[in-house]
């Protein structure tokens, strides 16, 4: 955080293939599809990402509205609050859902929606160009709540649980997972992979290894990890760390 009178330090790091963006360093902006909401842009093509991700804060009655464009899929995750989500889709018909904290929706490119806040609401929005797969029908709208998704023990460590919000099937081209690490637990090894991540820390704190060094992270931090960014996590502090992250999956790479 910044002091009006002291030095203006920052944990922000922006490198060629990763960025650590503590939320306090990101100014608010507006988006046409979310006309009254306060938006903070985390990842966008300008930083090197192949997707866009935002945090959107809304007062009761404020809304977002998206018309289907046949190209872009949307993922919404409710950080806090209550909202009504109305879906319009010629392929799957209309739908109406009440979302509370932990609620999520993955909406295919042929689905439109209107999300209206019924209480003070904060959510994550991720937009990605859907990669169609020949012979496989695109997924249908998927709406749920993380509380109904069981955490699986990750690689034999009972202190590291992984919730997989989106089925691992070829109709989907992205994963959205929540990791919960008990204090003192970590990813089992430093990973390096071609897939990208957009990661938001839901709570707790710890050390993230990005590129070639460890750095402290805490709740409300966002991390973009580009292709081949070496990465690892180690939970510190006194409460478990939870983070939600995006990953592009289930598709080959254009040559
Ligand atoms: O799925 C993953 O790639 C995950 N283990 N990466 C991460 O948490 N940084
Ligand atoms: Mn990873």
């Amino acid at each position: 955080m910044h002091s009006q009178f002291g030095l203006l330090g920052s944990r922000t790091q922006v490198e060629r293939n990763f960025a650590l963006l503590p939320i306090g360093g990101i100014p608010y902006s507006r988006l046409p599809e979310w006309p009254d909401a306060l938006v903070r842009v985390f990842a966008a093509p300008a930083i090197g990402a192949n997707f866009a991700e935002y945090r959107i804060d809304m007062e009761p009655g404020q809304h977002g509205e998206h018309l289907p464009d046949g190209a872009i899929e949307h993922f919404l995750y409710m950080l806090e609050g209550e909202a009504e989500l109305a879906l319009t889709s010629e392929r799957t018909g209309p739908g109406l859902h009440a979302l509370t904290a932990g609620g999520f929706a993955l909406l295919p490119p042929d689905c439109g929606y209107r999300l209206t806040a019924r209480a003070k609401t904060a959510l994550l929005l991720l937009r990605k160009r859907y990669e169609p797969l020949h012979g496989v029908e695109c997924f249908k709208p998927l709406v749920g709540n993380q509380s109904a998704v069981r955490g699986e023990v990750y690689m034999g460590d009972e202190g590291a649980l992984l919730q997989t919000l989106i089925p691992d099937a070829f109709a989907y081209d992205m994963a959205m997972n929540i990791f919960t690490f008990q204090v003192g637990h970590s990813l089992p090894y430093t990973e390096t992979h071609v897939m990208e991540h957009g990661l938001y820390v839901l709570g707790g704190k710890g050390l993230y290894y990005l590129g070639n060094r460890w750095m402290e992270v805490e709740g409300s931090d966002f991390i973009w990890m580009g292709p081949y960014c070496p990465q690892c996590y180690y939970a510190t502090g006194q409460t478990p760390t939870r983070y939600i992250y995006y990953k592009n999956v289930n598709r080959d790479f254009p040559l």
Side-chain angles (χ1 to χ4, degrees):
M1 274 300 129
H2 304 290
S3 159
Q4 203 178 342
F5 305 105
L7 299 176
L8 295 171
S10 170
R11 290 184 296 112
T12 299
Q13 309 263 346
V14 179
E15 301 281 352
R16 183 190 62 79
N17 71 345
F18 73 82
L20 168 61
L21 302 172
I23 199 160
I26 306 175
Y28 288 113
S29 51
R30 302 246 182 223
L31 289 178
E33 291 194 341
W34 301 83
D36 304 313
L38 292 174
V39 176
R40 275 166 294 192
V41 182
F42 289 139
I47 207 166
N50 280 307
F51 62 96
E53 189 166 354
Y54 322 79
R55 175 180 162 133
I56 297 177
D57 284 83
M58 290 189 292
E59 295 298 322
Q62 295 182 344
H63 74 279
E65 183 152 35
H66 170 69
L67 299 177
D69 56 21
I72 309 294
E73 62 190 310
H74 285 215
F75 179 86
L76 303 163
Y77 182 83
M78 293 281 289
L79 296 169
E80 57 190 61
E82 289 168 33
E84 183 183 281
L85 179 67
L87 306 181
T88 50
S89 165
E90 280 185 21
R91 181 165 57 109
T92 57
L96 190 60
H97 303 270
L99 298 181
T100 55
F104 65 86
L106 176 66
L107 305 171
D110 61 355
C111 180
Y113 65 88
R114 185 180 174 97
L115 183 135
T116 308
R118 294 296 178 217
K120 200 172 170 55
T121 290
L123 58 97
L124 299 176
L125 165 67
L126 186 141
R127 295 168 53 242
K128 175 193 185 299
R129 184 170 293 276
Y130 180 69
E131 298 166 68
L133 189 58
H134 185 70
V136 176
E137 192 193 342
C138 179
F139 66 91
K140 298 185 171 70
L142 177 73
V143 181
N145 192 292
Q146 66 80 26
S147 61
V149 180
R150 221 160 58 105
E152 305 288 340
V153 172
Y154 190 68
M155 297 188 77
D157 181 356
E158 302 208 343
L161 296 183
L162 187 68
Q163 292 166 275
T164 304
L165 305 186
I166 299 173
D168 185 16
F170 282 120
Y172 302 90
D173 66 353
M174 61 179 268
M176 195 54 90
N177 301 331
I178 298 177
F179 251 128
T180 304
F181 292 98
Q182 298 301 320
V183 173
H185 290 257
S186 66
L187 282 173
Y189 62 96
T190 298
E191 315 172 350
T192 308
H193 48 68
V194 64
M195 300 77 119
E196 283 186 274
H197 289 315
L199 183 157
Y200 182 84
V201 183
L202 296 166
K205 66 177 183 175
L207 298 171
Y208 230 104
Y209 185 83
L210 296 169
N212 61 4
R213 57 191 187 272
W214 291 94
M215 51 200 84
E216 284 194 283
V217 301
E218 63 177 357
S220 303
D221 283 358
F222 180 84
I223 301 172
W224 168 65
M225 289 171 242
Y228 299 106
C229 172
Q231 58 199 254
C232 198
Y233 184 67
Y234 177 68
T236 63
Q238 299 191 334
T239 56
T241 298
R242 294 188 79 225
Y243 65 67
I244 181 167
Y245 69 98
Y246 155 82
K247 185 175 188 175
N248 52 307
V249 295
N250 292 338
R251 295 293 185 273
D252 209 339
F253 300 90
L255 299 178

